[in-house]
Amino acid sequence: MNTTRNADPLQALGLGEAETAVYTTVLRLHRATLDEVAQAVDEPADRVAGLLATLIRLGAVDEAAGEYLARHPAGPVGRLVAERLSLLALQSRQIDEMLAAVGDLAQHYDSGRDYRRGELSVRSLTGADELYEAVIGLAGQAPRAELVAALPDRRTTGDFFEKHADMWIRAIKEGDLTSRLLVPVSALGVPSFRETAGLLNRAGAEVRSLDQVPSWFFALGADAAGLPVQWGASPSEHAYNCSLVRSPVVVGALRALFGELWGRAVPVARPGGAIQVLRLAAQGLSDESIARHLGLSVRTVRARFAQAIAELGANSRFQAGVEASRRSWL
């Protein structure tokens, strides 16, 4: 069967040598019967008919009144290119998904390996300074690792916010870690809470509050965790007495717990305008008086009340005021 150099691009796009030769022949003849095409390519008519049928399905050739008419090459080539690009895009997405899955699969592998070997690296820590310095040191070994931490009561939250948050904030700003912090609602009244929570938020950390946090713990990256000696017990004021554990299994369990608590927690963020109207309402001012006081329209004031109610998960202005007061926002 005769072929030409003009056929090479079509072969590169997936057209077989035989189909390409027949298509090239029809292009040269422009319009021809089956016998004329078969004679030109020196192949049996029944074989050529099958090849022509393939070209018709590809949109490269039309058939009418027993003759085959070549279509402009831009049509079938464009269609083949589009199909190939679509396939490449699909394969590229599949490759990206497989690469993304490697991290999760590796964690499962590490967990299974540790489980079978029975290996569990545990290091005892006895002081808050030693604990928080260890956390920052681990973060420096795995830049941008996510640190999730739970503080169970007002005292431990106050201790962290007043004495140790600075190094945490600095590490976040320097790109050593990202962080989410869970605190109990009772801790929102800690004197340094508002200022330090604002610094954490501006650095890029997230802080949420929950009515009750079950225990103190943290998880850093995929294989480091901090646990109290006794679950549910707050560290003592002078000695934290906790364990630094290196195990993907433990970290996975703590992250699952943290995720469940985090989903029920409320962001520690105070919408400025919404809090302004709640404060003024608590002083007995009407919507119209609040509007005059703030230089706003009554409509805007009422929109801010609606925002406060939504932010605080309340059902009324009164409930919003109670909840805002409980969080020490007023």
Side-chain angles (χ1 to χ4, degrees):
M1 183 178 287
N2 296 324
T3 60
T4 67
R5 178 169 294 183
N6 292 335
D8 291 343
L10 295 176
Q11 290 179 24
L13 288 170
L15 227 60
E17 183 178 354
E19 291 93 342
T20 301
V22 170
Y23 178 52
T24 305
T25 298
V26 177
L27 284 174
R28 291 199 305 268
L29 298 175
H30 193 67
R31 183 188 295 271
T33 65
L34 174 60
D35 289 338
E36 289 172 337
V37 177
Q39 183 177 3
V41 297
D42 193 24
E43 287 284 349
D46 56 348
R47 172 171 166 75
V48 173
L51 297 172
L52 285 167
T54 299
L55 293 171
I56 290 171
R57 287 196 300 273
L58 291 173
V61 172
D62 286 332
E63 181 184 11
E67 291 186 317
Y68 295 92
L69 176 67
R71 300 186 66 181
H72 192 284
V77 170
R79 180 176 174 180
L80 288 170
V81 169
E83 290 177 352
R84 182 59 58 86
L85 289 175
S86 178
L87 178 60
L88 288 173
L90 174 61
Q91 292 173 336
S92 178
R93 288 195 299 272
Q94 291 173 336
I95 290 171
D96 289 340
E97 291 170 358
M98 287 187 287
L99 290 174
V102 168
D104 291 336
L105 295 173
Q107 288 188 32
H108 290 308
Y109 172 83
D110 291 340
S111 299
R113 180 194 59 197
D114 292 346
Y115 172 75
R116 287 298 178 186
R117 291 180 178 177
E119 294 179 356
L120 187 65
S121 172
V122 181
R123 171 186 167 193
S124 295
L125 301 174
T126 58
D129 290 341
E130 184 182 3
L131 166 65
Y132 291 119
E133 287 172 5
V135 171
I136 299 303
L138 289 170
Q141 297 172 21
R144 302 301 295 172
E146 186 193 38
L147 172 64
V148 298
L151 300 172
D153 55 36
R154 181 185 175 100
R155 185 185 62 76
T156 52
T157 302
D159 188 47
F160 169 75
F161 273 66
E162 292 170 5
K163 301 177 183 177
H164 305 287
D166 288 347
M167 67 173 74
W168 210 296
I169 293 169
R170 186 164 54 251
I172 295 170
K173 287 183 176 179
E174 292 174 356
D176 288 337
L177 57 83
T178 62
S179 183
R180 290 184 290 161
L181 182 63
L182 191 64
V183 300
V185 170
S186 62
L188 301 186
V190 170
S192 59
F193 183 87
R194 291 183 182 180
E195 180 182 357
T196 307
L199 292 173
L200 282 164
N201 283 326
R202 286 191 290 276
E206 294 182 76
V207 183
R208 290 189 182 183
S209 64
L210 192 64
D211 284 344
Q212 185 175 4
V213 178
S215 182
W216 173 90
F217 66 89
F218 76 80
L220 175 64
D223 68 348
L227 290 165
V229 173
Q230 180 180 352
W231 181 260
S234 299
S236 65
E237 188 170 357
H238 302 293
Y240 266 54
N241 292 330
C242 58
S243 299
L244 180 63
V245 182
R246 303 300 297 269
S247 168
V249 175
V250 175
V251 172
L254 289 177
R255 283 192 175 277
L257 171 62
F258 185 90
E260 193 276 331
L261 297 172
W262 187 258
R264 294 192 281 112
V266 177
V268 176
R270 291 172 290 144
I275 294 305
Q276 278 183 322
V277 297
L278 285 177
R279 282 177 178 161
L280 293 172
Q283 298 171 24
L285 274 65
S286 66
D287 290 2
E288 290 74 12
S289 298
I290 293 173
R292 287 194 298 272
H293 185 85
L294 297 177
L296 303 171
S297 68
V298 174
R299 183 176 180 179
T300 299
V301 168
R302 289 172 179 165
R304 289 190 178 182
F305 272 121
Q307 178 190 4
I309 290 170
E311 289 280 351
L312 293 163
N315 296 318
S316 66
R317 293 186 182 186
F318 177 77
Q319 287 185 0
V322 171
E323 181 63 23
S325 178
R326 189 170 74 98
R327 298 187 190 189
S328 300
W329 287 4
L330 299 182

